[in-house]
Amino acid sequence: MIAALFGLPDEQREEIIALTYSLANTSVTAAEVRRTRQRLSEFFRRLIAFKRGQLGDDLASALIVARDNGELVSDTELIDMLFMVLSAGFVTTTGVIGNGVLALVTHPQQLHLVRSGQVPWSQAIEEILRWGSSVANLPFRYATEDVEIDGCTVRRGDAVLMAFHAANRDEKAFGPGADRFDVTRRHNPHLSFGKGPHVCLGAALARLLEQILFNPGHTRQP
Ligand code: HEM
């Protein structure tokens, strides 16, 4: 889906998938990470050169045009933006697919509630996103000012790890059954797409994709 949105040629898909997963792998050496970063940069330089020759109605072309119009300030920003949207667009959604399938097959009664129509798929998907989100933690956030949270002061400049998965199991927000996979949950203010100015850009697309995947006949469902 994301490759089609990007207008990425079929033969380049495997390479970018492998590079992205390699970058997310926490058991590789620092030297391997540097090599992967280098290869990613080369990949995108090649992609940009290729797309420039045949701009189309796709996201990669739109970002290249934005760079040419000066809306993106440098080639580095263009490459980072291409990588950000491309990688954020498939590692996350595929993770939720796996976690969702696992949640449903290990909770047959919950699966029955959705398959029998007693619970709408849209509601079950929100619960899959809450209980089995693919972005458990997000590093590299820094406080821009001193913040007091629950008696703890986060100082300006401190690094913050956003623990979305923990927030999604918070009993204060989801009640005593917060740890349970429960598709009947109607009030579901999960943080799987983050919150605030950097809330996930692709949340609507991701929800649509999960609907189509888990329930291909979703358009017939109210
Ligand atoms: C189920 C699938 C997805 C999940 C769980 C997910 C989750 C997230 C999370 C937790 C963030 C960080 C929000 C924050 O910093 O507070 C984020 C940001 C982002 N996501 Fe997603 N995402 C998904 C799908 C997608 C898709 C399909 C796309 C692209 C088409 C996408 C593009 C982005 C981008 C570009 C950002 C950065 C936004 C910014 O920093 O302003 N995501 N996503």
Side-chain angles (χ1 to χ4, degrees):
M1 174 278 293
I2 200 78
L5 190 70
F6 258 75
L8 195 69
D10 283 359
E11 58 279 8
Q12 294 186 14
R13 292 183 187 190
E14 259 179 52
E15 185 181 357
I16 187 64
I17 290 172
L19 287 172
T20 306
Y21 277 116
S22 165
L23 203 65
N25 187 343
T26 50
S27 60
V28 292
T29 63
E32 277 176 87
V33 173
R34 275 195 293 275
R35 228 176 2 254
T36 304
R37 285 204 160 279
Q38 179 66 33
R39 287 181 57 200
L40 271 168
S41 184
E42 285 159 15
F43 175 91
F44 282 109
R45 284 187 197 287
R46 261 184 284 127
L47 179 68
I48 291 165
F50 169 78
K51 299 294 295 181
R52 273 223 164 89
Q54 46 171 74
L55 290 174
D57 183 19
D58 57 63
L59 197 53
S61 299
L63 287 168
I64 290 167
V65 171
R67 165 69 188 123
D68 291 345
N69 291 343
E71 291 166 64
L72 299 177
V73 295
S74 63
D75 285 348
T76 306
E77 189 182 5
L78 172 61
I79 290 176
D80 286 351
M81 190 69 88
L82 286 166
F83 176 60
M84 172 73 187
V85 183
L86 189 64
S87 59
F90 78 83
V91 176
T92 50
T93 40
T94 47
V96 171
I97 293 166
N99 294 349
V101 170
L102 184 68
L104 291 167
V105 297
T106 54
H107 297 79
Q109 284 174 339
Q110 302 287 313
L111 178 59
H112 173 72
L113 287 173
V114 236
R115 295 191 87 178
S116 62
Q118 294 173 70
V119 166
W121 272 103
S122 53
Q123 187 174 310
I125 283 163
E126 291 308 307
E127 180 63 354
I128 289 172
L129 283 164
R130 181 191 76 89
W131 196 77
S133 176
S134 49
V135 185
N137 301 301
L138 198 70
F140 309 125
R141 293 287 186 265
Y142 298 89
T144 53
E145 56 190 56
D146 289 359
V147 191
E148 181 84 15
I149 302 171
D150 226 1
C152 167
T153 306
V154 181
R155 300 245 172 259
R156 178 163 183 245
D158 279 356
V160 180
L161 181 75
M162 309 294 284
F164 296 124
H165 220 52
N168 284 351
R169 309 283 179 108
D170 183 356
E171 295 196 345
K172 281 191 218 142
F174 298 98
D179 209 24
R180 241 188 359 247
F181 177 63
D182 178 4
V183 295
T184 65
R185 199 181 295 279
R186 282 165 193 254
H187 179 62
N188 199 341
H190 64 74
L191 294 182
S192 295
F193 292 117
K195 198 173 167 62
H198 290 283
V199 69
C200 177
L201 180 87
L205 181 61
R207 285 188 161 108
L208 180 65
L209 187 80
E210 304 296 345
Q211 284 268 359
I212 293 168
L213 186 110
F214 282 103
N215 177 30
H218 78 289
T219 46
R220 289 195 300 275
Q221 198 177 47

